Amino acid sequence: MRSVTVAAAAVALTQLAAARPGRVVRVEREVRRDVLVPAGVFTMGVDEEQAAELGNDCRIAYGFDDNGVAVGKLCDFYDLELGHMQPRQVFVSAFWMDRDEVSVADYTACIAAGACESDAMTAGDERYLSDDGPMVNVQWGEAEAFCRWRGGRLPTEAEWERAARGDSNGPWPWGTASRPSDFNHGKPYSRPMQQVSHGVMSIDELQGESDDSDGFALAAPPGHYAWGDGPFGTRDMAGNVAEWTADAVASSSPDLSGYDGLSSVDPVRTGSPGDSRVVRGGSWRQPEFLARVYARDPLLLLPSMYAPNHRMPYVGFRCVRPALAR
């Protein structure tokens, strides 16, 4: 009786195979918009060797004219600031972070929903408005409003660094090797820096200029450079566009610099409404060294550069949400 049943089943399967020839069915898995960054303790900050490298890079980018003559004191002040950013153990609670920088299409949807203003769309030229490109020219408060609409907020500086470096002490999201052709960065401005001291160069020009040796003169589509992935799955943690964070720049206070006075548990410096804000990650317009996972831009020390009402075509953002929100 059992052999008849098996034979019948074999016939049925043969008939089914004839009616529906074998084929491979590929089930596409939707890529998540955000990734989980687990809670943990990591080393945040800049050690002596790293600080020396950053100071040297600052002087190459901003500190000399064509004759090798130092102009201004920016990099001297940067050295002092780095001295207040020494490595320390920081605990960060778990959070969800956008895999990619907020895109123009994302921001357009916020405008259509009535939750975001459209001013940023008309602040720059059309080269920055590709739907799949990162949204730039957004003021800090506008970025915060977008993140609230999405049920989140801007990341703290500690959260951003945690996502970029994980448990590593290497200078790049991928490790220790320098890979300048594998992320989107700029270069120092080609005009002699001596002109800055004569008031010829604008404050935006100080940031540098585009460098297409990495494949893109301006911002690239999200995730184009695989080496820029953070250890938890975020993309473009090195270069492309610099990103707003929630933290105020400490140098606006006469008594605080760097990480002075911050907690070692979920640190954030809220500051006052008009305080300049920390940006991280480097951009298509800035020198390579600013894409290091622990680097702050020396130009943060200029009060007007990263004021919350400033619009910049090389600064975008991404959002975070508490892990308990999912």
Side-chain angles (χ1 to χ4, degrees):
M1 185 68 162
R2 183 174 181 276
S3 60
V4 174
T5 303
V6 172
V11 171
L13 288 172
T14 301
Q15 292 173 339
L16 179 61
R20 300 181 65 185
R23 58 195 177 94
V24 174
V25 177
R26 182 176 180 179
V27 179
E28 295 289 351
R29 192 178 210 178
E30 184 179 356
V31 177
R32 295 187 63 93
R33 187 188 73 194
D34 50 13
V35 300
L36 179 65
V37 179
V41 176
F42 77 106
T43 302
M44 181 179 182
V46 183
D47 64 29
E48 288 188 16
E49 181 179 349
Q50 293 163 346
E53 290 175 346
L54 290 174
N56 182 61
D57 287 332
C58 176
R59 286 170 174 84
I60 293 172
Y62 306 121
F64 296 93
D65 66 17
D66 283 352
N67 297 316
V69 179
V71 292
K73 295 290 185 181
L74 175 65
C75 298
D76 292 342
F77 289 124
Y78 189 46
D79 289 338
L80 294 174
E81 185 76 359
L82 292 171
H84 294 269
M85 295 172 59
Q86 295 178 3
R88 62 203 189 101
Q89 296 295 290
V90 172
F91 174 83
V92 173
S93 301
F95 60 96
W96 292 91
M97 188 177 217
D98 286 347
R99 182 183 300 275
D100 295 317
E101 296 149 341
V102 171
S103 70
V104 172
D106 294 333
Y107 200 80
T108 301
C110 183
I111 295 172
C116 292
E117 300 294 331
S118 61
D119 295 356
M121 303 295 291
T122 57
D125 63 47
E126 293 184 356
R127 293 179 300 168
Y128 308 124
L129 294 179
S130 171
D131 279 352
D132 64 348
M135 186 66 198
V136 295
N137 285 312
V138 178
Q139 294 178 343
W140 183 83
E142 293 169 339
E144 269 283 300
F146 175 91
C147 290
R148 286 196 300 272
W149 173 67
R150 256 206 191 159
R153 55 173 173 77
L154 287 173
T156 66
E157 185 179 14
E159 288 171 336
W160 195 97
E161 188 166 328
R162 165 75 169 155
R165 74 190 300 173
D167 298 321
S168 171
N169 195 39
W172 310 102
W174 56 82
T176 58
S178 176
R179 308 185 67 93
S181 62
D182 291 321
F183 70 97
N184 192 9
H185 58 80
K187 59 185 178 182
Y189 203 72
S190 57
R191 287 168 61 185
M193 289 299 292
Q194 190 176 22
Q195 296 182 15
V196 179
S197 63
H198 297 158
V200 177
M201 187 179 292
S202 74
I203 196 168
D204 280 343
E205 286 174 328
L206 272 171
Q207 282 287 12
E209 59 186 353
S210 64
D211 177 3
D212 60 6
S213 66
D214 48 45
F216 284 84
L218 302 177
H224 179 82
Y225 298 90
W227 284 100
D229 289 4
F232 304 112
T234 50
R235 304 195 294 184
D236 294 311
M237 300 305 289
N240 211 33
V241 294
E243 300 175 17
W244 287 117
T245 73
D247 284 64
V249 178
S251 57
S252 62
S253 168
D255 301 320
L256 298 174
S257 292
Y259 302 140
D260 291 351
L262 288 178
S263 171
S264 60
V265 177
D266 291 327
V268 59
R269 195 182 304 282
T270 55
S272 300
D275 286 347
S276 292
R277 299 289 158 169
V278 175
V279 298
R280 281 302 202 99
S283 75
W284 59 264
R285 186 173 177 175
Q286 296 168 299
E288 297 171 25
F289 78 96
L290 294 181
R292 289 188 174 101
V293 296
Y294 45 67
R296 277 188 178 184
D297 187 345
L299 301 184
L300 282 166
L301 301 174
L302 301 178
S304 58
M305 178 60 76
Y306 292 111
N309 62 350
H310 198 180
R311 300 186 187 277
M312 293 153 282
Y314 38 86
V315 176
F317 66 103
R318 70 181 81 210
C319 306
V320 298
R321 287 153 292 281
L324 295 177
R326 295 293 299 257

